[in-house]
Amino acid sequence: MNENLYNILMIDDHPIVTDGLEKLLSTHIQAHCMKANDLNTLKQVLTGTDFNLCITDLEFPGTDGFNLIRMIHEHLPQCPILVYTMHEEPWIATKLYESDIRNFISGAVSKHADLNEIPMAVNAIRNGQEYFSQSFSLLYGKRSRTENRSPYRTLSDREKEVLTYLMQGLSTREIARRMYLSINTIQTYRKRLLEKMNAKNVAELVSKCKGLF
């Protein structure tokens, strides 16, 4: 790896995203980009490799997005992390600003934002600053005004329906059959429920949600 270049690790399971980011940044800065599009590749790259910046999505097969941030920080404690995600929900902003995650990241940019925000964010971080796109700043303000609000109110109708079935003791397969959805879709809803309700497992989720129905 060229030590004279700004070395960037790009993490996204869609190669078109990492390839696009590399092409975009190459027109703004002298950088060497390494890409990880799956968990095995990422684990190999994180072992014994130094980077000046890590740009990561929050959706990555094989691990929870926030655990992914923790894993990156564990292997690269001195490396700034820029989150690049399509998710702009208030609960995402809340998670990003939680104590441990907030200490690990240097910024967040929405995939819905103008592409020019990526080089702006990278340059800001190179200069020792932080960069949060306007959408995340606004969401954080909204989160601050509603931080005492029950997280249950942030659940979608589908998530509430899945939660109801989980509290009835139904398995993922049984819920998928009742809702006419795929097992993978139900697993995604379960994952979001655990994250939104800050529960480690379904048992804790059910315990926290007792009395809400």
Side-chain angles (χ1 to χ4, degrees):
M1 185 175 294
N2 192 330
E3 295 182 356
N4 296 320
L5 295 177
Y6 192 67
N7 297 306
I8 302 176
L9 173 60
M10 299 175 175
I11 304 171
D12 196 295
D13 61 324
H14 296 96
I16 191 172
V17 173
T18 51
D19 290 348
L21 286 175
E22 181 179 29
K23 183 176 181 180
L24 173 65
L25 290 175
S26 67
T27 64
H28 291 81
I29 61 175
Q30 293 291 318
H32 175 273
C33 298
M34 187 172 290
K35 293 166 269 188
N37 303 120
D38 61 77
L39 190 57
N40 288 334
T41 301
L42 176 60
K43 289 179 178 179
Q44 294 175 7
V45 170
L46 289 177
T47 304
T49 309
D50 292 325
F51 294 94
N52 302 113
L53 175 66
C54 177
I55 302 176
T56 183
D57 193 2
L58 288 179
E59 290 284 342
F60 201 68
T63 184
D64 167 81
F66 300 102
N67 286 331
L68 174 62
I69 292 174
R70 296 184 182 98
M71 181 174 69
I72 296 169
H73 179 74
E74 180 180 351
H75 285 85
L76 304 170
Q78 304 303 318
C79 181
I81 298 174
L82 174 65
V83 173
Y84 186 49
T85 179
M86 65 180 292
H87 294 287
E88 297 180 333
E89 298 90 341
W91 70 274
I92 290 290
T94 299
K95 292 287 289 188
L96 290 177
Y97 281 93
E98 282 186 350
S99 57
D100 63 334
I101 296 298
R102 184 65 185 86
N103 291 333
F104 300 158
I105 65 174
S106 296
V109 175
S110 168
K111 287 184 177 180
H112 300 292
D114 189 291
L115 285 177
N116 289 329
E117 287 217 42
I118 286 294
M120 287 172 60
V122 171
N123 283 325
I125 293 172
R126 288 183 71 186
N127 292 324
Q129 303 170 349
E130 294 185 335
Y131 188 98
F132 288 86
S133 61
Q134 184 179 25
S135 57
F136 284 105
S137 297
L138 291 174
L139 283 172
Y140 180 57
K142 182 176 180 181
R143 172 257 185 190
S144 298
R145 294 191 298 272
T146 61
E147 60 184 357
N148 294 321
R149 180 182 176 186
S150 170
Y152 177 74
R153 296 185 181 182
T154 69
L155 302 184
S156 67
D157 291 339
R158 282 290 198 184
E159 289 166 343
K160 290 178 181 178
E161 186 175 359
V162 172
L163 177 57
T164 299
Y165 286 134
L166 288 174
M167 296 187 71
Q168 293 174 3
L170 273 63
S171 67
T172 298
R173 186 177 298 276
E174 291 171 329
I175 297 173
R177 187 169 59 251
R178 291 200 182 192
M179 296 181 67
Y180 300 100
L181 297 172
S182 69
I183 291 176
N184 286 339
T185 299
I186 300 302
Q187 288 175 336
T188 298
Y189 281 128
R190 283 180 48 147
K191 174 183 173 182
R192 290 180 181 175
L193 283 167
L194 293 175
E195 291 175 343
K196 288 186 177 183
M197 300 303 294
N198 196 26
K200 297 179 181 178
N201 50 50
V202 173
E204 184 177 347
L205 174 67
V206 170
S207 177
K208 284 190 171 188
C209 294
K210 286 181 179 179
L212 294 178
F213 294 88

